[in-house]
Amino acid sequence: MSDTAPAPFQTALGALFEARGARRVHAPIIQPADPYLDTAGEALRRRIFLTRGEAGEHLCLRPDFTIPVCLGHVGAGEALPRRYSYCGLVFRQRPSGPGEFFQAGIEDLGEANRATADARALADALAGLAACGVDPADLDIVLGDQGLFEAFLKALGLPEGWQRRLVRTFGHDGLLDAALNALATGGAGTLERLNPELADLARRREEGALTRTIRTRMEEAGLPPHAGRSPGEVAVRLIEKLAVAEARLDDAPLNLLRQFLAIDCPLGEAGDRLRGVAESADLDLGRAAVFFETRNLALRAAGVDLASVRYRAAFGRPIDYYTGLVFEARQKGSDETLAGGGRYDRLLTMLGAPAPIPAVGFALWLDRIGAATGQAGGQS
């Protein structure tokens, strides 16, 4: 099996990435599975091809390049900032199409100017699509910002448990809508079947005792590690779920949140729309609003036409490690992503970096680009 994308994409993207100062790296096809199971979230976790090593360790076929590139950087202790590029096979279970396909992209680590790095990621992704023969006029580009969503939740004064629950649903329209409905009506009925002992520990916020009880029950049931969430994660979720079930948000702040999430407009108009919603209720979005405008200036400087990008306040990408900017580019009329990326400032510390490292990146789906442009270069 070749792990190298055939021409013409390999040549075109190799030249582009080199010109953008991104050093080509390679990552083994067999990867440790725990970093994915612990950080990537359900959307990616359920698509991974898992196996075990001789020592019983969890292994998987490489489902993306972001985590291997970041693990390699942390292990090598490279100086920052640094840009890495890649091009090779990834392996994921998909509803349709082969479970192995080519991706290429750039991971941008350690750039302190986050607005510049965000703008560069989107601009480079669009340049990569153009290098592969995609006509920019044929693209729908959508951008969201999880950081701005979190700032809005905080400005509304929502309980922390509700903030965390809503952030976890960001990028899942159905789940987000269900969470908002539960917030409007109260969700006490959702815990009717919860074991009374667990419910009592969760209500008293006895996280340690709750974790131990859950671990014991999982062991008695014979559940293996990483069969799902860890006992600690389940305990935290139960505590939050109980608090959520017993909470209800008044109509006024809930309507404001829905107004915010309904914003869907050209990126150049988004600042005014955001200010209008915030000022109508005297909400202060603080540095998140300033950063949003600063990034728009950086995007213009990077050559991105803001009129060609749509800002959706409710748009996210369902991977847990994203923290700020998220974006996707698709062929007009298609639901399939050709390029997607975002900011993941917490990931490297989760993977062992001794200090936080700002990071942003993108991936190009070469099989889909090949189909969109009529070229065979993206096919495996």
Side-chain angles (χ1 to χ4, degrees):
M1 177 192 302
S2 172
D3 190 32
T4 302
F9 295 159
Q10 180 77 247
T11 302
L13 291 175
L16 174 69
F17 293 165
E18 183 178 358
R20 300 300 170 102
R23 189 181 81 195
R24 176 73 180 270
V25 294
H26 301 272
I29 287 177
I30 302 298
Q31 290 286 319
D34 286 354
Y36 290 100
L37 298 171
D38 294 341
T39 68
E42 296 288 343
L44 186 57
R45 183 176 352 197
R46 65 174 177 264
R47 297 180 179 178
I48 293 175
F49 292 99
L50 282 169
T51 186
R52 283 184 180 272
E54 290 186 358
E57 70 273 27
H58 296 274
L59 301 172
C60 66
L61 294 177
R62 181 179 63 210
D64 83 343
F65 275 90
T66 298
I67 285 177
V69 169
C70 290
L71 283 170
H73 173 84
V74 171
E78 299 277 9
L80 292 169
R82 192 170 294 273
R83 308 190 84 206
Y84 299 101
S85 70
Y86 58 84
C87 184
L89 282 169
V90 295
F91 303 83
R92 298 184 199 174
Q93 301 180 62
R94 300 196 286 181
S96 61
E100 60 182 64
F101 50 95
F102 286 103
Q103 283 192 336
I106 291 177
E107 308 298 343
D108 194 336
L109 311 184
E111 172 55 62
N113 189 325
R114 288 171 168 82
T116 295
D118 281 1
R120 186 165 56 194
L122 179 52
D124 287 355
L126 297 179
L129 290 173
C132 292
V134 178
D135 185 346
D138 289 340
L139 292 175
D140 282 330
I141 308 164
V142 61
L143 179 148
D145 190 329
Q146 182 169 320
L148 191 59
F149 178 57
E150 293 181 17
F152 198 90
L153 296 179
K154 184 175 181 180
L156 280 176
L158 266 62
E160 288 189 5
W162 262 113
Q163 291 186 43
R164 286 192 289 270
R165 178 176 177 181
L166 290 170
V167 168
R168 283 198 298 270
T169 66
F170 190 67
H172 305 265
D173 290 348
L175 293 178
L176 179 57
D177 190 57
L180 291 176
N181 289 335
L183 186 54
T185 61
T190 61
L191 294 182
E192 287 178 354
R193 294 187 296 275
L194 182 61
N195 177 277
E197 179 187 5
L198 299 180
D200 182 61
L201 290 171
R203 185 170 286 109
R204 291 189 283 113
R205 304 185 73 84
E206 296 283 352
E207 184 177 332
L210 183 58
T211 298
R212 290 191 292 273
T213 301
I214 291 169
R215 181 180 292 110
T216 298
R217 288 171 179 264
M218 291 174 68
E219 291 172 350
E220 289 174 349
L223 293 176
H226 296 304
R229 299 187 181 97
S230 70
E233 289 174 325
V234 174
V236 170
R237 295 288 178 91
L238 281 180
I239 290 170
E240 290 181 3
K241 196 170 184 178
L242 189 72
V244 163
E246 296 176 347
R248 183 181 184 279
L249 189 63
D250 291 337
D251 288 343
L254 184 62
N255 287 337
L256 277 170
L257 182 52
R258 290 191 184 278
Q259 288 178 42
F260 168 78
L261 291 170
I263 296 174
D264 184 346
C265 63
L267 183 56
E269 301 173 12
D272 289 338
R273 294 282 299 277
L274 289 165
R275 278 192 297 274
V277 173
E279 290 173 1
S280 70
D282 197 27
L283 296 180
D284 181 10
L285 299 181
R287 288 182 292 180
V290 174
F291 180 79
F292 188 88
E293 295 285 14
T294 302
R295 184 175 59 216
N296 280 355
L297 292 174
L299 284 165
R300 287 194 183 97
V304 177
D305 178 10
L306 300 192
S308 70
V309 181
R310 193 148 198 93
Y311 169 70
R312 279 189 57 216
F315 175 72
R317 304 191 74 226
I319 297 179
D320 283 3
Y321 53 64
Y322 284 129
T323 58
L325 166 84
V326 284
F327 65 87
E328 286 185 354
R330 304 168 184 155
Q331 196 172 27
K332 288 186 184 298
S334 173
D335 293 330
E336 291 195 330
T337 302
L338 300 182
R343 175 160 289 279
Y344 49 93
D345 287 345
R346 291 191 292 264
L347 179 60
L348 278 99
T349 49
M350 296 168 70
L351 296 177
I357 297 175
V360 64
F362 70 88
L364 305 174
W365 297 66
L366 300 188
D367 62 330
R368 295 173 179 173
I369 294 171
T373 59
Q375 302 179 71
Q379 301 302 318
S380 60

